[in-house]
Short mmCIF file of all heavy atoms in Angstrom, two decimals:
data_model
loop_
_atom_site.label_atom_id
_atom_site.label_comp_id
_atom_site.label_asym_id
_atom_site.label_seq_id
_atom_site.Cartn_x
_atom_site.Cartn_y
_atom_site.Cartn_z
N GLN Y 267 -36.13 23.31 -15.14
CA GLN Y 267 -37.48 23.86 -15.01
C GLN Y 267 -38.29 22.89 -14.16
O GLN Y 267 -38.40 21.71 -14.47
CB GLN Y 267 -38.12 24.05 -16.38
CG GLN Y 267 -39.39 24.86 -16.29
CD GLN Y 267 -39.81 25.39 -17.66
OE1 GLN Y 267 -39.35 24.90 -18.69
NE2 GLN Y 267 -40.68 26.40 -17.67
N SER Y 268 -38.84 23.41 -13.06
CA SER Y 268 -39.51 22.55 -12.09
C SER Y 268 -40.93 22.21 -12.54
O SER Y 268 -41.42 22.73 -13.55
CB SER Y 268 -39.54 23.23 -10.74
OG SER Y 268 -40.42 24.33 -10.78
N ARG Y 269 -41.57 21.36 -11.71
CA ARG Y 269 -42.93 20.91 -12.03
C ARG Y 269 -43.91 22.09 -12.14
O ARG Y 269 -44.88 22.02 -12.89
CB ARG Y 269 -43.43 19.94 -10.95
CG ARG Y 269 -42.68 18.62 -10.98
CD ARG Y 269 -42.87 17.82 -9.70
NE ARG Y 269 -41.80 16.82 -9.57
CZ ARG Y 269 -41.91 15.57 -10.02
NH1 ARG Y 269 -43.00 15.15 -10.59
NH2 ARG Y 269 -40.88 14.74 -9.88
N ASP Y 270 -43.65 23.15 -11.36
CA ASP Y 270 -44.56 24.29 -11.45
C ASP Y 270 -44.01 25.40 -12.36
O ASP Y 270 -44.42 26.55 -12.28
CB ASP Y 270 -44.90 24.83 -10.05
CG ASP Y 270 -43.66 25.03 -9.20
OD1 ASP Y 270 -42.55 25.06 -9.78
OD2 ASP Y 270 -43.78 25.14 -7.97
N GLY Y 271 -43.04 25.03 -13.19
CA GLY Y 271 -42.62 25.95 -14.24
C GLY Y 271 -41.52 26.93 -13.87
O GLY Y 271 -41.08 27.72 -14.69
N ASN Y 272 -41.05 26.88 -12.63
CA ASN Y 272 -39.98 27.80 -12.24
C ASN Y 272 -38.61 27.23 -12.62
O ASN Y 272 -38.44 26.02 -12.75
CB ASN Y 272 -40.00 28.02 -10.72
CG ASN Y 272 -41.28 28.68 -10.28
OD1 ASN Y 272 -41.82 29.56 -10.97
ND2 ASN Y 272 -41.82 28.24 -9.15
N ILE Y 273 -37.65 28.13 -12.76
CA ILE Y 273 -36.27 27.70 -12.98
C ILE Y 273 -35.59 27.59 -11.61
O ILE Y 273 -35.59 28.55 -10.84
CB ILE Y 273 -35.50 28.70 -13.86
CG1 ILE Y 273 -36.19 28.90 -15.22
CG2 ILE Y 273 -34.04 28.28 -14.02
CD1 ILE Y 273 -36.20 27.66 -16.09
N GLU Y 274 -35.05 26.40 -11.30
CA GLU Y 274 -34.44 26.19 -9.99
C GLU Y 274 -33.05 25.59 -10.14
O GLU Y 274 -32.78 24.88 -11.11
CB GLU Y 274 -35.31 25.25 -9.14
CG GLU Y 274 -36.66 25.85 -8.81
CD GLU Y 274 -37.55 24.88 -8.06
OE1 GLU Y 274 -37.04 23.80 -7.63
OE2 GLU Y 274 -38.75 25.18 -7.92
N HIS Y 275 -32.19 25.86 -9.13
CA HIS Y 275 -30.91 25.17 -9.09
C HIS Y 275 -31.10 23.76 -8.54
O HIS Y 275 -31.88 23.55 -7.61
CB HIS Y 275 -29.91 25.94 -8.22
CG HIS Y 275 -29.32 27.11 -8.93
ND1 HIS Y 275 -29.60 28.41 -8.59
CD2 HIS Y 275 -28.44 27.17 -9.98
CE1 HIS Y 275 -28.94 29.23 -9.40
NE2 HIS Y 275 -28.23 28.50 -10.25
N ALA Y 276 -30.35 22.82 -9.09
CA ALA Y 276 -30.48 21.42 -8.67
C ALA Y 276 -29.73 21.20 -7.36
O ALA Y 276 -29.02 22.08 -6.86
CB ALA Y 276 -29.91 20.53 -9.76
N TRP Y 277 -29.90 20.01 -6.80
CA TRP Y 277 -29.24 19.60 -5.56
C TRP Y 277 -28.35 18.41 -5.88
O TRP Y 277 -28.79 17.48 -6.55
CB TRP Y 277 -30.30 19.22 -4.51
CG TRP Y 277 -31.21 20.37 -4.19
CD1 TRP Y 277 -32.29 20.76 -4.94
CD2 TRP Y 277 -31.11 21.27 -3.10
NE1 TRP Y 277 -32.87 21.87 -4.36
CE2 TRP Y 277 -32.17 22.20 -3.22
CE3 TRP Y 277 -30.21 21.40 -2.03
CZ2 TRP Y 277 -32.35 23.24 -2.31
CZ3 TRP Y 277 -30.41 22.42 -1.12
CH2 TRP Y 277 -31.47 23.35 -1.27
N THR Y 278 -27.11 18.47 -5.44
CA THR Y 278 -26.20 17.41 -5.88
C THR Y 278 -25.54 16.67 -4.70
O THR Y 278 -25.49 17.17 -3.58
CB THR Y 278 -25.07 17.98 -6.78
OG1 THR Y 278 -24.23 18.85 -6.01
CG2 THR Y 278 -25.63 18.73 -7.96
N THR Y 279 -25.07 15.48 -5.03
CA THR Y 279 -24.27 14.69 -4.09
C THR Y 279 -23.01 14.23 -4.80
O THR Y 279 -22.96 14.20 -6.03
CB THR Y 279 -25.00 13.42 -3.61
OG1 THR Y 279 -25.20 12.54 -4.73
CG2 THR Y 279 -26.34 13.76 -2.97
N SER Y 280 -22.00 13.88 -4.02
CA SER Y 280 -20.87 13.15 -4.60
C SER Y 280 -20.39 12.15 -3.58
O SER Y 280 -20.61 12.32 -2.37
CB SER Y 280 -19.75 14.10 -5.04
OG SER Y 280 -19.12 14.69 -3.93
N TRP Y 281 -19.75 11.08 -4.07
CA TRP Y 281 -19.40 9.97 -3.17
C TRP Y 281 -18.23 9.20 -3.77
O TRP Y 281 -18.15 9.02 -4.97
CB TRP Y 281 -20.63 9.06 -2.95
CG TRP Y 281 -21.56 8.99 -4.14
CD1 TRP Y 281 -22.46 9.95 -4.52
CD2 TRP Y 281 -21.63 7.95 -5.12
NE1 TRP Y 281 -23.09 9.56 -5.68
CE2 TRP Y 281 -22.62 8.34 -6.06
CE3 TRP Y 281 -20.98 6.73 -5.29
CZ2 TRP Y 281 -22.95 7.55 -7.15
CZ3 TRP Y 281 -21.32 5.93 -6.37
CH2 TRP Y 281 -22.31 6.36 -7.29
N GLY Y 282 -17.30 8.81 -2.93
CA GLY Y 282 -16.09 8.17 -3.44
C GLY Y 282 -15.52 7.09 -2.53
O GLY Y 282 -15.60 7.19 -1.30
N LEU Y 283 -14.98 6.08 -3.17
CA LEU Y 283 -14.26 5.02 -2.45
C LEU Y 283 -13.02 4.68 -3.28
O LEU Y 283 -13.11 4.53 -4.49
CB LEU Y 283 -15.15 3.79 -2.26
CG LEU Y 283 -14.54 2.64 -1.46
CD1 LEU Y 283 -15.56 2.06 -0.49
CD2 LEU Y 283 -14.00 1.53 -2.36
N SER Y 284 -11.87 4.56 -2.60
CA SER Y 284 -10.61 4.50 -3.34
C SER Y 284 -9.79 3.25 -3.03
O SER Y 284 -10.14 2.43 -2.18
CB SER Y 284 -9.77 5.73 -3.01
OG SER Y 284 -9.20 5.59 -1.74
N THR Y 285 -8.65 3.16 -3.72
CA THR Y 285 -7.70 2.08 -3.48
C THR Y 285 -7.14 2.12 -2.05
O THR Y 285 -6.49 1.18 -1.62
CB THR Y 285 -6.52 2.14 -4.47
OG1 THR Y 285 -6.15 3.50 -4.69
CG2 THR Y 285 -6.88 1.52 -5.79
#
Side-chain angles (χ1 to χ4, degrees):
Chain Y
Q267 191 164 18
S268 70
R269 291 164 200 268
D270 48 17
N272 297 322
I273 302 294
E274 295 176 10
H275 281 111
W277 300 81
T278 66
T279 64
S280 69
W281 32 283
L283 183 138
S284 76
T285 39

